[in-house]
Amino acid sequence: PQQLLPNLTFLDLQPPMTDAAREVATSLSAPRPTLDPKYFYDERGSALFDAITRTPEYYPTRTEASLLADHADAMAAELGSDLVIAEPGAGGCEKVRILLDRWRPSGYMPLEISRECLLDATRALAPRYPAVRFNAVCADYSQALSFPADDGGRPRLVFFPGSTIGNFEPSARGDFLRGLRHLAGDQGYLLIGADLQKDPARLNAAYNDAAGHTAAFNLNALHHLNRRLGCGFDPDAFVHRAFYNDRQQRIEMHLECRRDQSITVGDRRIDLPAGSRIHTENSYKFTVEDFSRELMGAGFTPLSSWVDDDNLFSIHLARA
Ligand code: AVI
């Protein structure tokens, strides 16, 4: 690792570039075309997601932040503060600040695929917490969930906020949670956010904000792929669709094609007829009980869960 500041080291695991062209060509030419939600996130996509979290309709981010602030002391009482927080997909390291402020843990290890984002965030943050050892790791957390414990024997708390777990398919969720358990290690813990099932009107509003940020975020996948792979999508010919699928307990996001068009990915040509849809994201919603059961299924022992007064969002603390 490189020593960047007295309390900041940087380890580059050089996450392999995935073969986006092949992946996208395959998923778009399936009988029901799909795109992986990771394609929302280029620089503009991250800014749009940020804008979503500030809309009045999108309650998860602010509800989770209040839950963390309201219950940080209760959490610390179960954990003690002599621990190291590991955060897969830390992004701009926003959410962990509440915990750094309140807990002053021994260390913080953000794992993030975007090198620039990780370096900017940790360079800004580390000087503000001189007593916290920052170990920034550039890695694709969906591929690398095993890290040497450099935590001085301190327990590791894996922090996975935001209900990102809801963007995994049920079939992949168990494996991913087991990966988090592996990352936490035998003496470790998991602190994870999970969005709750609720009135579908509330959910539908959260994914169809009046300002149109979610629509722009969804369409950004096409702009991103045009720039990166030269696909030649006409983004203006697509409309954003997001709705709650009650049977599957998930929000689905789609891009509906309003006129026939053909796009190219690498040397493949793909026809998208008017009326067809590209399925871009699922966001599963849970009950506290079901989510605790999933944690147990992955080998965790649930310790506590916290829910806001309006039953919108939940945070779960579990022992590995
Ligand atoms: C990142 N993830 C938890 C968000 C969600 O709510 O599933 C992504 C998102 N999609 C549309 N709005 C927000």
Side-chain angles (χ1 to χ4, degrees), residues 63-78:
T63 309
E64 181 177 54
S66 323
L67 282 171
L68 286 172
D70 290 350
H71 302 290
D73 293 342
M75 292 170 189
E78 299 204 44

Side-chain angles (χ1 to χ4, degrees), residues 217-286:
F217 174 71
N218 196 5
L219 287 158
N220 189 57
L222 306 181
H223 291 283
H224 180 192
L225 290 174
N226 279 349
R227 194 169 38 74
R228 188 155 150 196
L229 302 174
C231 291
F233 284 106
D234 173 9
D236 292 339
F238 287 86
V239 284
H240 163 73
R241 300 273 181 230
F243 52 86
Y244 190 60
N245 178 334
D246 207 24
R247 204 169 50 82
Q248 310 254 36
Q249 301 168 338
R250 68 190 191 198
I251 283 280
E252 294 184 10
M253 294 222 302
H254 300 259
L255 288 165
E256 190 177 303
C257 185
R258 303 312 303 269
R259 63 162 181 78
D260 295 348
Q261 58 182 290
S262 56
I263 58 124
T264 49
V265 192
D267 51 10
R268 292 266 285 275
R269 195 185 121 143
I270 298 166
D271 293 319
L272 297 166
S276 66
R277 282 177 172 182
I278 304 172
H279 191 162
T280 49
E281 186 178 54
N282 289 320
S283 188
Y284 286 85
K285 308 302 170 189
F286 305 92

Side-chain angles (χ1 to χ4, degrees), residues 58 91 127 131 144 215 271 304:
Y58 193 79
D271 293 319
S304 298

Side-chain angles (χ1 to χ4, degrees), residues 9-16 109-119 135-141 144 147:
T9 63
F10 172 67
L11 176 66
D12 196 344
L13 295 182
Q14 295 175 331
M109 181 173 77
L111 315 172
E112 171 56 43
I113 192 165
S114 163
R115 196 170 286 113
E116 212 169 284
C117 193
L118 178 68
L119 286 171
N135 290 303
V137 181
C138 181
D140 178 352
Y141 72 80
F147 294 98

Side-chain angles (χ1 to χ4, degrees), residues 41 49 52 58 162-164 167 207 214 217 253 281 283 285:
Y41 302 94
F49 180 66
I52 290 172
Y58 193 79
S163 201
T164 301
N167 298 128
Y207 291 81
T214 311
F217 174 71
M253 294 222 302
E281 186 178 54
S283 188
K285 308 302 170 189

